[in-house]
Amino acid sequence: MTKVIFQGNAITLAGSFPQVGTQAPEFTLCGADLSDVVLTSLRGKRVVLNIFPSIDTPVCALGVKAFNERAANSQNTVVLCISADLPFATARFCAAEGIENVATASFFRAPEFAELYGVKLAEGPLTGLAARAVIVINEEGLVTHAELVSEITNEPNYDAAMTTLG
């Protein structure tokens, strides 16, 4: 089983993390407006999945802000910031911070998402939430970048993810 670190403690993850070159697993999440966000509906676009535990933590908030800045000039790209947070919380955060270049989605109605993507924290104080990860999917639905951040309290490698977008 895959493990990540949270504040010095090893945490087991449930599921299998997608690998570069594989088809991204299909999902249906809840968007900020409570509508369904379905991966297949994004075909033909490049998709960045910014997966994290909760918008209410400093590093997760930094990640959303960083991708918002970096996504501003990315053509044919959707950056989807995903957590178990309720859509009301992420919408409130985005409005307060002026976040306009990314979309948010929640897996509160689809808890299987975290295991499907191999990021479900299976133990510890954040059990049931997602580990920090960034996955880039091309227009055909193939994974072109996959980073599972080894220490949850660290930021991902934004530049590596954005470089795969060209």
Side-chain angles (χ1 to χ4, degrees):
M1 293 201 113
T2 304
K3 291 190 181 276
V4 293
I5 306 297
F6 177 62
Q7 298 178 333
N9 298 307
I11 304 289
T12 301
L13 300 178
S16 297
F17 191 67
Q19 299 301 305
V20 171
T22 64
Q23 190 73 35
E26 181 57 42
F27 60 73
T28 300
L29 300 171
C30 181
D33 62 357
L34 302 179
S35 66
D36 287 345
V37 176
V38 182
L39 181 59
T40 54
S41 71
L42 301 173
R43 279 281 160 81
K45 296 183 183 213
R46 299 175 302 179
V47 180
V48 178
L49 304 180
N50 173 32
I51 305 168
F52 52 89
S54 174
I55 196 72
D56 289 322
T57 64
V59 177
C60 298
L62 283 173
V64 173
K65 292 175 188 178
F67 274 116
N68 183 62
E69 290 174 16
R70 286 169 167 80
N73 299 319
S74 296
Q75 299 298 314
N76 198 39
T77 302
V78 174
V79 177
L80 197 55
C81 297
I82 303 169
S83 68
D85 292 310
L86 292 177
F88 315 112
T90 55
R92 187 171 45 251
F93 172 84
C94 290
E97 296 294 333
I99 306 291
E100 298 177 345
N101 301 315
V102 301
T104 60
S106 174
F107 61 87
F108 88 100
R109 290 193 302 217
E112 67 279 0
F113 169 83
E115 191 164 346
L116 182 65
Y117 272 79
V119 295
K120 181 179 181 180
L121 297 167
E123 59 187 0
L126 302 178
T127 298
L129 297 180
R132 187 174 319 286
V134 176
I135 299 167
V136 178
I137 303 166
N138 70 12
E139 296 87 343
E140 291 80 40
L142 295 176
V143 175
T144 59
H145 172 81
E147 177 191 10
L148 179 61
V149 180
S150 60
E151 164 57 68
I152 293 174
T153 60
N154 290 342
E155 292 180 76
N157 185 339
Y158 305 111
D159 292 337
M162 299 309 286
T163 297
T164 64
L165 297 173

